[in-house]
Amino acid sequence: MTRLLSNPCLRLVAAGIFAIGLACCSSPSTSDQREAGSISPQAMADALHAVLESDRTVYARQVVHRLQDQEEVILASEHWQDDKALPLPAQMFRMGAEMVANKTDAFSYALISKWPVNKQNEPGTEAEIVGLDSVANNPSAAFYARESLGDAEYFTAIYADVAVSPACIACHNAHKDSPRNDFELGDTMGGVVIRILLTE
Amino acid sequence: MRRKRLAFVWTVATVAAGLYLVVHFFGRDRRLFLPGETTSGHYQIERACDACHAPFQGIRQDACLACHQAGLQAAEDSHGPEKFNDPRYAEDLARLDARQCIACHVEHRPEITGAMGVTLPEDFCRSCHGDVTEERPTHEGMGFDSCGSAGCHNYHDNRALYEDFLLRHGEAQPATVPAAWPQRKAWISGEMRDAGPLGAADADSPPASSRPELIAAWANSAHAAGGVACSDCHAAADAAWSDRPPYAMCSACHELEYQGFTQGKHGMRQAVDLDPMSPAMARLPMHPEALNETLDCGTCHDVHTVNVRQAAVNACLSCHADEHSAAYVDSPHARLWEREMSGEGAPGSGVSCASCHLPREERRIAGDLRIAVQHNQNANLRPNEKMIREVCMTCHSLALSIDALADPEKIRTNFSGMPSVHVQSVDMALSRTE
């Protein structure tokens, strides 16, 4: 051991590891600003959205757009089971949301739009209606509200859902059920609603 | 004095009535406590109250799902409960909690029970799809009581009815082409020994149980050809020899088939530990001479010949005496079956009862594609559009299939002649693409 530590390079590494260990054990890091359980609903919603939006973008660009439009390997289809195709980005998103809703009612998320292909995705609650307008006008600012639905209170956040890939607009503009067919790359096509349950 | 006597009579009567109820409650047959007639889907198991009811908890959703979940999943359920968990549906759910089976299917209420055991008014789709004509002007003037009854939509299973499917298969398809059913490629769940084909000389039954006609039947069977000896069934797993081994034993090798059987009306009583179904209990018309049969593997499959052709038509018709069954023998389907049986028609060109009601299904088991017979004959029966994809469309166009299944008269006559009903769905889908 001592022989090993005489190597200056290894000494440096060992010191580094020791320092990290010390930092992990005693560091104030973020845990004293936000103790367990005290993260604000807004921070929670923003964090969830960061994950959802990134996954959604990766799927649209690196899976659907790449394989369907660029490399022409496999199509994305609404009837992906019958067509042995990729699920659409919106279906991918909803399947995840449904699985989450089966596990917990602490939070939920959905994809909605004022110009929905699927009418079930049009805004339903007051907050959804106001929120979609808000993010359509100002895509970079999220919309936040409190809602009471059924017997429960929610913190509701709505974020712009933007046409991040040519696949988004090509498909929506051509879809026979789409009420709008002039989407352009970068347009807000709808919104992601995230709800955090406030009441027990 | 009179009052005393009255009190005595009252006490005796109350105790007797109480005893009667207690005996029934703890006895095998608790039908006395049924609050109303059970639906045709559940009456076979109505004595097994616990299959659905948990004491003081009402009906458990997981009791429904224990039997129905796999079928709903296979149907790609259009309205699965997971779709409604999002709080944005709270208001809709307050009107009708569509996540609970019993919101729409209440048992023991014959006076309000409609098709598919639905106990809501027939126009229930309106409560969520009331504004459908905004999106689909073609639906103008149609009643909400016709969404599900006109051959266009189902609540759960729309695999053969969704718009793009109608478009893909709706146009310019020949009405009918010859049948070519896939050949069975069974999956044997038990351990297969490489015993090679066996002959009569290999019969290993004890002398007291050896009957030449049974041995001869077995020696010509698929079992003998596959190396399954007498003792494999009669003394399975090294048990002592039994002349009549229990049928559950068949499932050691035919697990899929037995599973299907116990999910359908033929075998669902076994699944809840009741004695087997018998034609005498059936609500459908049955032949009087068959009433005392009991339903098990051996009822349709002679256990020594294990002849699957016998099981495909003759076995069914030996019990079932309703008009649809009776009309089979004179139907165009039956003629194709006769041709196949006589060797005139190619293998897989005939249409038997089993072709439609016990269809051959593709299953992927451990990566292998198998063609297995679905032994739950109710899996594709209701709503009957479930038959379209895997059965009818093997030979017929989608449009013809939809029309035929919507025509009660054609069903009654077992599809002799062309349907006189025309469902608009394919035309409507095509009109939207113009």
Side-chain angles (χ1 to χ4, degrees):
Chain A
M1 185 75 190
T2 34
R3 270 248 313 277
L4 273 179
L5 282 182
S6 62
N7 178 330
C9 193
L10 277 181
R11 211 156 36 198
L12 207 70
V13 171
I17 291 173
F18 179 73
I20 293 172
L22 205 68
C24 288
C25 296
S26 61
S27 111
S29 74
T30 50
S31 62
D32 59 357
Q33 295 139 28
R34 300 184 200 154
E35 270 176 41
S38 73
I39 181 168
S40 74
Q42 181 174 325
M44 175 77 184
D46 288 349
L48 287 171
H49 176 246
V51 177
L52 292 173
E53 187 192 36
S54 306
D55 283 357
R56 183 160 156 71
T57 306
V58 170
Y59 184 67
R61 284 195 191 141
Q62 309 302 351
V63 181
V64 176
H65 182 58
R66 178 175 68 89
L67 293 178
Q68 172 180 262
D69 305 319
Q70 293 182 317
E71 298 179 10
E72 297 185 3
V73 175
I74 182 173
L75 292 178
S77 159
E78 213 167 321
H79 313 293
W80 50 274
Q81 279 147 307
D82 276 357
D83 297 346
K84 309 215 184 307
L86 297 171
L88 302 181
Q91 292 175 311
M92 194 74 180
F93 194 82
R94 191 175 50 213
M95 285 189 272
E98 287 172 359
M99 197 178 271
V100 166
N102 271 342
K103 292 179 184 159
T104 176
D105 54 10
F107 73 97
S108 69
Y109 59 93
L111 190 59
I112 58 173
S113 172
K114 292 203 287 179
W115 313 280
V117 173
N118 176 353
K119 212 159 177 306
Q120 302 301 316
N121 299 333
E122 70 183 2
T125 71
E126 189 61 35
E128 287 179 352
I129 294 167
V130 181
L132 278 186
D133 275 333
S134 163
V135 297
N137 296 331
N138 186 2
S140 58
F143 169 88
Y144 302 108
R146 275 176 83 106
E147 278 187 298
S148 82
L149 301 171
D151 323 322
E153 287 286 318
Y154 297 92
F155 176 83
T156 300
I158 298 180
Y159 305 86
D161 191 56
V162 177
V164 288
S165 144
C168 312
I169 50 174
C171 184
H172 276 254
N173 286 344
H175 200 287
K176 64 178 182 297
D177 288 330
S178 173
R180 195 179 144 179
N181 40 34
D182 59 353
F183 285 117
E184 289 176 14
L185 206 61
D187 276 356
T188 300
M189 297 178 69
V192 172
V193 195
I194 298 180
R195 289 192 173 85
I196 313 283
L197 180 66
L198 299 176
T199 40
E200 275 306 302
Chain B
M1 189 61 198
R2 242 188 96 208
R3 274 179 94 168
K4 259 194 179 161
R5 200 179 306 155
L6 254 176
F8 177 74
V9 170
W10 180 85
T11 314
V12 170
T14 310
V15 169
L19 270 176
Y20 179 74
L21 290 178
V22 167
V23 166
H24 266 272
F25 191 78
F26 292 103
R28 276 174 60 77
D29 191 352
R30 292 194 276 180
R31 278 177 294 183
L32 185 68
F33 299 98
L34 286 174
E37 192 190 36
T38 317
T39 58
S40 65
H42 291 149
Y43 79 93
Q44 298 87 341
I45 54 167
E46 64 188 3
R47 268 168 44 189
C49 308
D50 309 335
C52 307
H53 297 266
F56 306 111
Q57 289 170 34
I59 308 295
R60 290 172 295 117
Q61 171 89 353
D62 54 346
C64 310
L65 295 180
C67 296
H68 294 283
Q69 186 161 36
L72 286 167
Q73 264 165 7
E76 292 160 32
D77 192 357
S78 313
H79 291 86
E82 67 283 356
K83 297 207 163 43
F84 301 106
N85 278 333
D86 191 295
R88 54 199 308 265
Y89 295 113
E91 208 179 292
D92 296 328
L93 294 184
R95 270 180 285 136
L96 181 72
D97 190 347
R99 296 167 304 176
Q100 303 297 323
C101 306
I102 56 170
C104 305
H105 303 278
V106 184
E107 241 325 332
H108 308 299
R109 296 291 304 278
E111 70 286 3
I112 55 166
T113 303
M116 314 306 138
V118 174
T119 44
L120 292 177
E122 254 191 302
D123 63 351
F124 67 89
C125 306
R126 185 203 305 268
S127 68
C128 292
H129 300 280
D131 57 356
V132 63
T133 53
E134 282 173 26
E135 211 192 339
R136 291 283 188 279
T138 45
H139 289 51
E140 199 69 59
M142 297 181 173
F144 279 95
D145 53 354
S146 71
C147 311
S149 61
C152 297
H153 302 286
N154 287 321
Y155 184 82
H156 295 292
D157 188 342
N158 289 289
R159 282 172 301 166
L161 303 174
Y162 69 80
E163 191 175 358
D164 288 339
F165 191 80
L166 300 179
L167 287 176
R168 178 169 312 169
H169 299 280
E171 223 171 353
Q173 306 277 336
T176 300
V177 299
W181 303 107
Q183 292 303 299
R184 286 179 304 121
K185 184 162 180 259
W187 175 67
I188 303 299
S189 47
E191 197 183 317
M192 283 292 282
R193 277 166 301 109
D194 200 8
L198 302 175
D202 302 308
D204 62 352
S205 51
S209 296
S210 297
R211 286 172 41 200
E213 70 279 15
L214 297 184
I215 290 177
W218 163 79
N220 285 318
S221 74
H223 275 161
V228 178
C230 311
S231 59
D232 287 321
C233 301
H234 287 278
D238 296 329
W241 178 274
S242 160
D243 279 343
R244 291 184 171 277
Y247 285 107
M249 175 272 307
C250 305
S251 72
C253 294
H254 304 287
E255 188 186 314
L256 274 184
E257 289 76 9
Y258 195 76
Q259 234 174 35
F261 169 72
T262 52
Q263 282 161 355
K265 287 188 180 178
H266 286 160
M268 65 195 278
R269 287 172 60 90
Q270 278 98 318
V272 294
D273 293 330
L274 295 173
D275 46 337
M277 181 68 184
S278 127
M281 298 178 206
R283 288 186 182 173
L284 291 174
M286 296 286 154
H287 289 299
E289 62 278 14
L291 291 183
N292 296 324
E293 289 284 347
T294 52
L295 274 150
D296 249 314
C297 311
T299 320
C300 303
H301 300 282
D302 177 275
V303 289
H304 292 103
T305 61
V306 288
N307 179 340
V308 289
R309 293 179 155 191
Q310 166 74 15
V313 171
N314 297 0
C316 316
L317 297 183
S318 68
C319 293
H320 286 271
D322 57 281
E323 288 180 287
H324 171 83
S325 304
Y328 169 77
V329 286
D330 294 322
S331 72
H333 286 157
R335 281 200 291 281
L336 291 170
W337 177 249
E338 284 157 13
R339 280 171 56 89
E340 183 182 340
M341 289 305 95
S342 68
E344 235 180 299
S349 64
V351 183
S352 66
C353 307
S355 304
C356 304
H357 295 289
L358 298 133
R360 294 174 183 184
E361 290 182 348
E362 281 187 4
R363 303 255 192 141
R364 235 174 231 290
I365 296 169
D368 273 348
L369 191 63
R370 300 289 174 168
I371 309 287
V373 173
Q374 168 60 273
H375 276 66
N376 171 1
Q377 75 288 2
N378 296 102
N380 68 3
L381 195 58
R382 302 221 193 293
N384 64 17
E385 292 89 1
K386 279 172 171 294
M387 282 193 189
I388 293 176
R389 285 178 64 142
E390 65 181 3
V391 176
C392 310
M393 284 179 70
T394 307
C395 306
H396 302 292
S397 71
L398 173 62
L400 177 64
S401 309
I402 292 180
D403 288 350
L405 290 170
D407 186 343
E409 185 54 22
K410 279 289 144 308
I411 295 174
R412 196 177 66 79
T413 61
N414 215 309
F415 306 105
S416 297
M418 294 299 271
S420 55
V421 168
H422 179 55
V423 177
Q424 302 283 329
S425 52
V426 172
D427 315 332
M428 281 164 67
L430 288 170
S431 79
R432 277 206 344 126
T433 60
E434 279 154 16

